């Protein structure tokens, strides 16, 4: 199952995973067809597996989580509308300005707690009906929150936000790139999400370990619109069933094991907390560890030092380092990393 550089322990992201032999052989066996004609049996199977897991009406398979988020935003808004989200949201920070470029929508950024916003904050950010103001039409949540260090919402807080959306006729979208990390960490059911959100984007290529792909879920009507927008964005794929088969394998085999990644992340946290050059560590809830570096290291110096020892991490700011644990990080890799941390 070799990593691209087998000697390296790669904590840069949970996107670096490589398919193992079992996933590869289910990809090789996948029945395929032209998905633009709706004729790829593997994609149809992935879409129906996803809808039944979340208890939603319909789903569409797309090349990336950026595309599923951007399609959702375009389907829920009209040009000039306003989207409410946290200021550190992926949809705002890391999707190339797509809210404006693809949907012509403006954005109201909220200063949440580690990427999580509240019902009160949402209620206060909704524009009144006034010809001067953009119409607020959509709220987007991220769970887990990437820049929040893999933080999770309490489900009751999501339900309170939903109440505000219902009262104000707003749609509610979930950027669930890592929603299964939240579901496992908080012992939730995907059905709760399906009942609450108007649309959900789920990445198969993050912690679930598929090489490519995301699924967007919603009502039949919504997904019909989404298929048109996917085509518009150039995301209509043909015999992509090979990729969908990897997604099915991931959903069937790689969800419950996320608990192991979360345990490994806690072990790294414990080792780092003992070091004098480590400042604040964002509370570890899932598979992401973000910590402040001070004293004799800056974050670029520390990541360079780790790299000399075969460990890859990312300096996300001059003083912050991020480690992400995933299914290609073995218990032995964790032990090796902890032993190295002890020597720094
Ligand atoms: C990775 C990620 C996405 C989607 O990214 P792609 O690389 O386009 O698949 C969306 N939201 C969050 C929070 C992510 O971490």
């Amino acid at each position: 199952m070799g990593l691209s550089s087998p000697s390296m322990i790669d904590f840069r992201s949970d996107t670096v995973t490589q398919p193992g032999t079992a996933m590869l052989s289910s990809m090789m066996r996948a029945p395929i067809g032209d998905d633009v004609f709706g004729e790829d049996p593997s994609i149809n199977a992935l879409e129906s597996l996803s809808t039944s897991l979340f208890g939603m009406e319909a789903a569409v398979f797309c090349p990336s989580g950026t595309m599923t988020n951007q399609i959702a935003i375009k389907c829920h808004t009209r040009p000039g509308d306003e989207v409410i989200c946290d200021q550190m949201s992926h949809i705002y920070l890391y999707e190339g300005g797509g809210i404006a470029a693809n949907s012509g929508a403006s954005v109201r950024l909220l200063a949440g707690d580690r990427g999580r916003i509240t019902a009160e904050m949402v209620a206060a950010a909704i524009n009144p009906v006034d010809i001067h103001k953009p119409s607020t039409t959509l709220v987007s949540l991220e769970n887990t929150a990437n820049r929040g260090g893999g933080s999770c919402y309490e489900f009751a807080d999501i339900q309170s936000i939903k109440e505000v959306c219902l009262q104000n006729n707003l749609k509610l979208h979930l950027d669930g790139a890592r929603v299964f990390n939240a579901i496992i960490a908080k012992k939730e059911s995907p059905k709760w999400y399906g009942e609450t959100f108007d649309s959900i984007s789920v990445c198969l290529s993050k912690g679930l370990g598929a090489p490519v792909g995301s699924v967007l879920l919603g009502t039949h009507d919504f997904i019909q619109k989404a298929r048109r927008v996917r085509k518009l964005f150039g995301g209509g794929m043909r015999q992509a069933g090979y990729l969908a088969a990897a997604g099915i394998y991931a959903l069937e085999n790689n969800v419950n094991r996320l608990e192991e990644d979360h345990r490994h992340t806690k072990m790294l946290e414990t080792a780092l907390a003992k070091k004098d050059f480590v400042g604040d560590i964002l509370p570890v809830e899932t598979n992401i560890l973000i910590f402040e570096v001070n004293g004799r290291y800056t974050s670029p110096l520390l990541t360079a030092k780790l790299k000399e020892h075969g460990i890859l991490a990312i300096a996300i700011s001059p003083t912050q380092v991020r480690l992400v644990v995933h299914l290609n990080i073995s218990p032995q890799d964790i032990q090796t990393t902890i032993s190295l941390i002890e020597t720094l």
Side-chain angles (χ1 to χ4, degrees):
M1 151 169 56
L3 295 173
S4 49
S5 174
S7 55
M8 288 288 183
I9 302 175
D10 196 343
F11 291 108
R12 288 172 304 165
S13 173
D14 46 9
T15 55
V16 302
T17 55
Q18 303 234 343
T21 48
M23 180 181 278
L24 279 173
S25 70
S26 71
M27 294 169 73
M28 296 294 283
R29 287 194 310 269
I32 51 160
D34 188 331
D35 182 51
V36 175
F37 296 142
E39 290 174 2
D40 188 302
S42 300
I43 292 181
N44 294 341
L46 171 65
E47 291 171 352
S48 69
L49 173 61
S50 309
T51 55
S52 64
L53 278 173
F54 284 86
M56 293 182 93
E57 288 179 13
V60 60
F61 181 55
C62 294
S64 72
T66 297
M67 189 180 284
T68 43
N69 282 332
Q70 291 298 321
I71 290 173
I73 294 164
K74 190 161 179 72
C75 291
H76 287 309
T77 61
R78 290 190 305 178
D81 284 357
E82 191 156 271
V83 180
I84 295 176
C85 65
D86 182 81
Q87 61 187 0
M88 298 198 296
S89 299
H90 196 281
I91 59 165
Y92 172 68
L93 280 185
Y94 301 125
E95 298 187 5
I99 299 173
N102 298 321
S103 300
S106 74
V107 60
R108 177 72 68 93
L109 298 176
L110 302 181
D113 169 33
R114 289 186 284 128
R116 296 162 305 180
I117 58 179
T118 65
E120 292 69 31
M121 293 167 75
V122 170
I126 299 168
N127 287 329
V129 178
D130 174 337
I131 58 163
H132 299 88
K133 307 263 184 184
S135 308
T136 309
T137 49
L138 177 64
V139 176
S140 181
L141 307 182
E142 190 174 307
N143 201 25
T144 71
N146 177 13
R147 285 298 303 248
S151 55
C152 305
Y153 277 89
E154 294 299 331
F155 205 83
D157 294 339
I158 293 177
Q159 286 172 313
S160 304
I161 292 171
K162 174 67 177 180
E163 284 301 309
V164 172
C165 291
L166 287 173
Q167 286 156 14
N168 293 278
N169 201 23
L170 310 181
K171 298 294 185 195
L172 183 59
H173 172 69
L174 177 67
D175 177 354
R178 298 188 180 83
V179 68
F180 281 106
N181 293 89
I183 286 168
I184 292 296
K186 293 287 196 185
K187 301 188 181 349
E188 296 163 342
S189 163
K191 300 253 175 5
W192 303 356
Y193 287 85
E195 284 163 7
T196 308
F197 286 89
D198 295 293
S199 56
I200 300 179
S201 159
V202 181
C203 283
L204 303 164
S205 62
K206 294 275 164 79
L208 299 185
V212 177
S214 287
V215 171
L216 179 63
L217 296 129
T219 61
H220 286 302
D221 282 354
F222 174 84
I223 292 300
Q224 202 176 334
K225 270 169 93 180
R227 287 185 188 280
R228 170 174 281 277
V229 176
R230 181 182 66 166
K231 194 75 186 125
L232 166 71
F233 287 176
M237 297 182 287
R238 304 293 180 175
Q239 285 75 14
Y242 295 119
L243 302 174
I248 292 170
Y249 182 91
L251 288 170
E252 288 178 346
N253 297 278
N254 292 344
V255 172
N256 290 329
R257 64 153 306 287
L258 292 170
E259 191 273 328
E260 178 184 343
D261 294 344
H262 300 170
R263 200 158 18 84
H264 284 164
T265 314
K266 277 279 182 197
M267 290 164 70
L268 295 174
E269 177 194 28
T270 306
L272 283 164
K274 294 179 187 148
K275 304 306 291 187
D276 60 358
F277 63 85
V278 173
D280 285 345
I281 304 178
L282 288 188
V284 171
E285 299 186 38
T286 53
N287 67 326
I288 301 177
L289 176 56
I290 295 178
F291 61 96
E292 288 279 339
V293 179
N294 52 39
R296 59 188 184 283
Y297 289 111
T298 60
S299 56
L301 277 175
L302 181 64
T303 52
K305 181 89 181 163
L306 290 168
K307 192 172 179 183
E308 282 170 25
H309 291 87
I311 294 167
L312 299 178
I314 288 189
I316 58 167
S317 79
T319 60
Q320 284 180 306
V321 173
R322 188 184 80 167
L323 300 174
V324 186
V325 176
H326 51 77
L327 86 176
N328 285 159
I329 299 287
S330 67
Q332 181 56 52
D333 291 336
I334 294 293
Q335 286 311 328
T336 305
T337 306
I338 289 172
S339 302
L340 177 74
I341 290 168
E342 285 166 355
T343 68
L344 292 175

